[in-house]
Amino acid sequence: MQQLKSALVPILSTFPTKPRTVQALPSTATFVTSSSTQSPPPVCENASLNPPAATTTTSALPRHLCPPASAYIHLPFCRKRCHYCDFPIVALGSANPTDADPRISNYVELLRQEIESTRAGFNPHPPLETVFFGGGTPSLVSPNLVSSIIDTLRAKFGITDGAEISMEMDPGTFDSGKLKEMMGLGVNRVSLGVQAFQDELLRSCGRAHGVKEVYEAIEIVGSCGVQNWSLDLISSLPHQTHEMWEESLKLAVDARPHHVSVYDLQVEQGTKFGVLYTPGEFPLPSETLSADFYRMASKILADAGYIHYEISSYSKKGYECKHNSTYWKNAPFYGFGLGSASFVNGSRFSRPKKMKDYANFVQNLDSAEAAWNRSDDRSVDADKDLALDVVMLSLRTARGLDVRSFAEAFGGSMVSSLCKVYKPHIESGHVVCLDKERRSMSADEFSKLLVARGDEISGNLAFLRLSDPDGFLLSNELISLAFGAIAP
């Protein structure tokens, strides 16, 4: 069985990858057209996001062609690089940074310039409904500089009243005063990067904080009255035992966050872990133990009242991350900053991951001739790419794939192909069929549908979803099967 390996920071990395080659965004204005490739992702095109002169009205547009209502902001600063991290960051050292630190202030200025240079060609352009400050460790950046970024976003796009504004914060990088200032700017959701409740595990993966700082951070979040916060944990760390993981999960529940994200460690090439360890071999847990960790998280968090609404995400009712849900719905979004990625006008693209290249990229934005143009001509390959995106993203969620909407968009034959390839997995219980009332259909009921035409199948079958937890554990394999059926 292939254990799910989920990226630790979804916005800066692809989700389970498709068998397609993509290129990084160059620092020049040249671009490659890509109708729709991977889910939140690095893909190619020029970051002058939208059409140059003509504007696009938003009525009756497919979701992926509507104006983005979400923005991801990458603040790449960390005290040190963790041993598992391959994201674009700037290590500042242990000293607390100030506004005068040119590494931060110069970057924020570049970031603001990038936002201001974005050509929003939609008419009208709705205000942003979610903003997510990710990193890196955004809580290392001062409220004053964060305020300047929010002001720039508001001036460019507008921000709705009550918008979800999230910020990743690490223990030991903020006090109550700093958090209250961030809340005063509109930050209303905190994602706390705990990762583990054992000092030995935190040390082994190079985290800059210890358990003492974890409890202090939890206390600060509570005392400041944050009404929506998430706690992040990582499973399958070196030397992590069944008992350690159970303890971390129970202590996380005791902290009473509104949301818990559980990521399975991905050992990446080029990281310290990539040099030291081989996945599945000691001191990393075996695949079997990693799968047990996932099942344990699913059970303990469900028993504590958390809804497992996405492969790596659990929340109390009504506290799903609205920003991340943008990705699962294959909705458009802006990404700004080093290495970040956007999905606009049906195309995905990423910024350079090296600071010098990113600076050159931003400086060239005003003179860039290429722009994001929506084409009304959709090729067969473009439709297949979009269908792959929809399947991959939908199957990451508890809601699953809306079969009827999928059939309307891509045709009944594609639904029929999916159903046929999933038949053995429906019989094994890894894929679940639901009718329009979200009642489970038996394998026999499903088998009878297979003799029907695709449009008849979608008339009776409303959703396909992966079972929790065993179907989710096979997600990479099951999603790959879908790719083979849709784009053989």
Side-chain angles (χ1 to χ4, degrees):
M1 166 182 333
Q2 184 179 8
Q3 164 72 11
L4 165 73
K5 298 292 183 181
S6 181
L8 294 180
V9 182
I11 283 307
L12 292 174
S13 179
T14 61
F15 296 108
T17 53
K18 298 182 182 181
R20 279 182 274 156
T21 301
V22 296
Q23 299 174 349
L25 177 71
S27 57
T28 65
T30 58
F31 68 97
V32 181
T33 301
S34 171
S35 172
S36 181
T37 50
Q38 329 210 84
S39 36
V43 194
C44 24
E45 254 177 83
N46 174 11
S48 32
L49 307 180
N50 302 315
T55 58
T56 303
T57 58
T58 60
S59 60
L61 282 178
R63 175 185 287 161
H64 66 285
L65 295 179
C66 290
S70 296
Y72 172 83
I73 309 296
H74 187 57
L75 298 179
F77 308 103
C78 289
R79 289 179 288 183
K80 58 187 290 192
R81 181 179 287 278
C82 298
H83 299 340
Y84 52 75
C85 177
D86 72 338
F87 299 119
I89 70 158
V90 176
L92 300 175
S94 57
N96 289 326
T98 66
D99 287 2
D101 189 325
R103 294 171 295 181
I104 299 180
S105 58
N106 291 346
Y107 175 81
V108 169
E109 188 56 38
L110 279 173
L111 185 61
R112 294 178 62 236
Q113 184 179 337
E114 183 191 356
I115 296 168
E116 290 168 348
S117 298
T118 297
R119 284 181 277 174
F122 298 98
N123 182 25
H125 195 301
L128 298 175
E129 297 173 7
T130 75
V131 177
F132 195 104
F133 289 95
T137 307
S139 48
L140 285 172
V141 178
S142 73
N144 181 51
L145 291 176
V146 171
S147 176
S148 71
I149 297 169
I150 292 176
D151 288 346
T152 304
L153 288 170
R154 184 174 286 110
K156 184 67 181 182
F157 305 110
I159 300 176
T160 60
D161 292 338
E164 179 190 86
I165 303 181
S166 302
M167 176 173 284
E168 292 179 347
M169 308 185 83
D170 277 2
T173 64
F174 64 96
D175 56 19
S176 60
K178 188 172 193 176
L179 178 53
K180 286 178 180 177
E181 284 191 70
M182 295 293 191
M183 293 169 68
L185 300 175
V187 174
N188 52 21
R189 184 177 183 276
V190 169
S191 180
L192 190 62
V194 172
Q195 318 311 1
F197 280 88
Q198 297 80 27
D199 277 322
E200 59 269 40
L201 291 186
L202 293 171
R203 285 192 298 268
S204 75
C205 59
R207 296 293 291 177
H209 67 265
V211 174
K212 177 176 178 290
E213 288 78 18
V214 166
Y215 285 116
E216 289 173 350
I218 291 171
E219 171 63 27
I220 291 169
V221 169
S223 66
C224 288
V226 178
Q227 298 298 307
N228 186 359
W229 70 282
S230 179
L231 188 151
D232 291 356
L233 294 175
I234 302 177
S235 64
S236 301
L237 291 170
H239 302 286
Q240 192 172 40
T241 65
H242 183 282
E243 292 74 21
M244 288 176 173
W245 182 234
E246 183 176 18
E247 179 185 45
S248 285
L249 288 167
K250 290 182 175 180
L251 290 172
V253 169
D254 289 345
R256 302 180 68 183
H258 304 89
H259 187 284
V260 180
S261 293
V262 174
Y263 301 113
D264 190 62
L265 176 69
Q266 175 71 62
V267 177
E268 301 285 0
Q269 291 185 352
T271 65
K272 187 169 182 178
F273 275 2
V275 173
L276 293 175
Y277 305 130
T278 300
E281 296 184 7
F282 186 82
L284 295 179
S286 66
E287 261 194 23
T288 299
L289 185 54
S290 291
D292 288 344
F293 286 168
Y294 189 81
R295 293 187 181 96
M296 187 191 303
S298 181
K299 183 177 189 314
I300 289 177
L301 292 172
D303 288 347
Y306 291 90
I307 300 166
H308 194 181
Y309 71 97
E310 187 272 334
I311 281 180
S312 301
S313 307
Y314 304 77
S315 76
K316 296 291 188 176
K317 186 176 181 179
Y319 287 92
E320 298 86 353
C321 180
K322 294 178 182 177
H323 182 86
N324 286 346
S325 293
T326 298
Y327 312 136
W328 318 138
K329 293 174 182 176
N330 204 37
F333 58 90
Y334 292 117
F336 298 109
L338 186 71
S340 62
S342 294
F343 179 35
V344 180
N345 278 333
S347 296
R348 303 184 189 275
F349 58 98
S350 62
R351 278 84 177 151
K353 293 185 177 182
K354 293 184 178 180
M355 189 64 76
K356 183 178 179 181
D357 293 338
Y358 172 67
N360 290 335
F361 164 77
V362 172
Q363 296 302 330
N364 290 332
L365 279 177
D366 288 335
S367 61
E369 296 179 0
W372 292 96
N373 293 296
R374 180 174 67 88
S375 173
D376 293 324
D377 298 325
R378 290 173 59 186
S379 67
V380 173
D381 285 343
D383 276 349
K384 286 182 178 179
D385 283 350
L386 182 57
L388 294 176
D389 284 346
V390 172
V391 170
M392 176 173 62
L393 294 165
S394 298
L395 290 182
R396 289 182 61 94
T397 68
R399 183 175 188 269
L401 175 67
D402 184 331
V403 175
R404 296 180 181 185
S405 296
F406 188 81
E408 290 174 3
F410 304 107
S413 62
M414 210 173 276
V415 171
S416 181
S417 296
L418 272 179
C419 288
K420 287 175 182 176
V421 79
Y422 279 151
K423 182 176 184 294
H425 303 281
I426 289 166
E427 292 172 348
S428 68
H430 291 96
V431 178
V432 180
C433 306
L434 303 171
D435 64 17
K436 63 182 180 181
E437 303 298 330
R438 293 196 66 84
R439 291 188 295 251
S440 295
M441 301 173 66
S442 69
D444 287 342
E445 290 176 298
F446 177 78
S447 295
K448 291 176 183 177
L449 284 180
L450 287 184
V451 301
R453 296 191 316 237
D455 54 352
E456 293 176 354
I457 293 174
S458 60
N460 294 280
L461 174 64
F463 294 92
L464 283 173
R465 59 153 295 175
L466 305 187
S467 62
D468 180 10
D470 290 337
F472 279 154
L473 279 167
L474 279 176
S475 62
N476 288 351
E477 178 182 323
L478 294 171
I479 290 171
S480 294
L481 288 174
F483 293 167
I486 293 171

